[in-house]
Amino acid sequence: METASFPSLLWIPLLPLFGAAFLGVAGHRLEKSLVNVVALGSVLGAFVVTVIATITQSRHGVPLEAVAWTWFETDRYAIPLAFLYDELTSTLMLVVTGVGLLIHVYSTEYMSEDPAYARYFAYLNLFIAAMSTLVLGASLPVMFIGWEGVGLASYLLIGFWFTDTDKAIAGKKAFITNRVGDFGFLLGTFVFFGLFGTADFLELKAQASDLGDLGATISSGVFAGATPRSVLTFGCLMLFLGACGKSAQLPLYVWLPDAMAGPTPVSALIHAATMVTSGVYMVCRMGFAFDLAPAAGEVVAWVGALTAVFAASIGLAQNDIKKVLAYSTVSQLGYMFLAAGLGAYGAAMFHVVTHAFFKACLFLGSGAVIHALHGEQDMRRMGALLRKLPVVSLTFGVSTLAIAGVPFFSGFFSKDAILAFAFQESPALWGMGFFAAGLTAFYMMRLFALTFLGNFRFLDHDGQPGDVHVPHLPMRVPLVLLAVLAAFAGWLNIPHALAEVLPGHPAADGFVHRLAPATGEASLHLSAALEWGLMAASVLWAGAMLAVGYALYRHGPSEVMARVTAHGPAKVMHDVLFGKWYVDEIYQFVIIGPLRLVSSFMAVVVDPWVIDRAGVRGPGYLVAGAGRALSRVQSGNVQSYALVLALGVVVFLLWSVR
């Protein structure tokens, strides 16, 4: 495919990388104002270059490319450190740098009292640099640099307050869980190297279209005896394993809820808007391969649907405001994979964008609430903040309506596009997505009502109503901008049925059409009547669950739910959901416990006795003992040596004669 050179792409990751390096080395010596200039200026610069690259790419109509140098080269492979900028890249890069800039601004107030202020922004800049490398990478190996970089930055930011043991453990849990997925990513990369001799995305796409008969047997090479379809299926499944780790899908989702231990702006940037969507982006980038491996696509869709329902069910029973949003993120990521698995890559990326806006706003709003209530995160101890925090309440309410799928907020457009494709391909998958949508509306209304409605339940240490700290402009402005985007971004992709009745008949599916050169375009063959029916059912279902949530929790913790879940099967179900289906405990018993037992045995028995004593010290003792024994023979007496020599000659002669 033809590309245009655009060396300025290199500055998108380099600017925040330089900012991270400078703040990491000298940040502790700088005033906060100078830290802000470096941290925010570097991300602003990256955002400006991203906007320029987007305009340039749109004018040229072909992907932009920037090559830094040849990373490594062998007789068979040559991997340049190259960046690619096409329609798919620009979509996520605008989110990474744009939303990232807003979260940097928000953090200037949220983290203003933290003594490690400069270190925090150094880590945040490092994340932007790594995420930019992931998105811009022109090949799987270059993408993997960013893939590992965001894993490192996530570990550093989750465990930012590392003197707190629980927060340090949460960072370690995220890092280790992601390594499982990263192993799959590497295997998938090796598979594509072995099959095509390259891992460059444009070259892979071109060669994949020329494979011919996918059922034919490969006659030579590392995959001799297999078929191209089976190799592609294995490679895609391994890449999806990597996506499950980074994007928190079953069974590797367990790190994301614990990642809420980090500062709330980190949760908004890394664990809602950008990093956790990198797995979705990677699947969409490799969509040409998943299209040739339909079995892998089915796995992606079913895992996504199961994750959407599973995580949404857990969100029903959590009381920590950030934990509810964390499980909501896992569930929404499931929607994205549901669409990607069905080949609707444009719809998946559209939900990535809308989700980035309303979920970042929700996380930042929860951070404003926690900040206002001096660290309180239990929703049962909040309430009545609508009057005390009007800007936070309004923006949070808009984003709640967006994620619930209320017309005509952004989530309505993106979620219904996914459900329409699901209905066309598999009514069972549609049913799971539809059910999860209702659960989402219910737990989000529960969260909003417990936090902002009812009576004021926040008490200080003396049992008196506590003071509420009202956020200032650096926290309010990002909330307002994100709420505006959450309200109106959905109009970028108007469904056909709605476009036909709007004045002027605007172009339908504009966002999906724009991505088509990079991702292809899935066809939706539903009649207008059926499309309207699906939208109506979705709206009625979401509206009903919002109404139920409001009726139960508008005055505070629900006495009705407390009575219902006090005994019987309802209590068992509530306990299971509150206990998060006991997945962590199962992993502890089945995986972590046995591994610790084996490692303890290795540390107590094998390492000191077998390795140290028998393997290392034992031969040393033998050599030393032999040396001491021989030293007694070496007496220095010439007559003794002559006697030994004579006896040796006699023994040798007797042995020879015999």
Side-chain angles (χ1 to χ4, degrees), residues 381-399:
R381 301 192 183 100
M382 298 178 181
L385 294 179
L386 183 62
R387 296 184 300 274
K388 299 177 182 294
L389 302 174
V391 173
V392 176
S393 304
L394 176 62
T395 55
F396 205 100
V398 168
S399 297

Side-chain angles (χ1 to χ4, degrees), residues 186-456:
L186 282 174
L187 284 180
T189 301
F190 296 152
V191 167
F192 282 95
F193 260 124
L195 184 61
F196 295 104
T198 182
D200 180 271
F201 293 126
L202 295 182
E203 293 180 12
L204 285 173
K205 189 174 183 178
Q207 292 191 35
S209 63
D210 296 332
L211 275 178
D213 185 4
L214 296 178
T217 301
I218 300 174
S219 58
S220 61
V222 67
F223 297 117
T227 63
R229 178 173 283 113
S230 63
V231 176
L232 283 169
T233 300
F234 178 72
C236 289
L237 288 175
M238 289 300 99
L239 290 179
F240 179 57
L241 177 60
C244 285
K246 200 66 72 183
S247 296
Q249 297 295 284
L250 288 169
L252 300 178
Y253 74 95
V254 290
W255 67 271
L256 183 58
D258 288 5
M260 298 303 108
T264 301
V266 171
S267 303
L269 177 63
I270 296 182
H271 308 120
T274 56
M275 188 192 91
V276 291
T277 61
S278 57
V280 182
Y281 171 79
M282 183 266 290
V283 171
C284 292
R285 174 61 72 190
M286 294 294 293
F288 57 86
F290 282 87
D291 289 341
L292 299 177
E298 288 186 19
V299 171
V300 173
W302 278 99
V303 169
L306 288 169
T307 303
V309 175
F310 180 82
S313 69
I314 297 176
L316 297 172
Q318 303 306 306
N319 297 315
D320 185 314
I321 186 172
K322 288 179 67 176
K323 284 291 180 70
V324 175
L325 294 176
Y327 283 106
S328 170
T329 298
V330 176
S331 181
Q332 295 302 307
L333 290 166
Y335 272 104
M336 300 170 200
F337 280 109
L338 170 60
L342 296 174
Y345 306 113
M349 288 303 300
F350 186 47
H351 199 53
V352 166
V353 173
T354 60
H355 176 265
F357 297 147
F358 59 67
K359 186 55 66 66
C361 186
L362 289 170
F363 265 113
L364 293 183
S366 71
V369 169
I370 295 167
H371 191 258
L373 301 183
H374 310 283
E376 181 60 66
Q377 295 187 201
D378 193 327
M379 298 182 297
R380 296 170 297 182
R381 301 192 183 100
M382 298 178 181
L385 294 179
L386 183 62
R387 296 184 300 274
K388 299 177 182 294
L389 302 174
V391 173
V392 176
S393 304
L394 176 62
T395 55
F396 205 100
V398 168
S399 297
T400 298
L401 296 176
I403 193 175
V406 172
F408 291 93
F409 295 89
S410 61
F412 164 77
F413 293 96
S414 59
K415 190 179 294 185
D416 272 31
I418 294 173
L419 291 178
F421 275 105
F423 187 86
Q424 175 176 275
E425 301 298 330
S426 169
L429 289 173
W430 173 84
M432 296 172 70
F434 184 78
F435 181 62
L439 298 183
T440 301
F442 178 82
Y443 68 64
M444 285 307 302
M445 178 51 72
R446 173 178 178 265
L447 185 156
F448 183 84
L450 287 176
T451 304
F452 297 102
L453 305 181
N455 58 315
F456 188 62

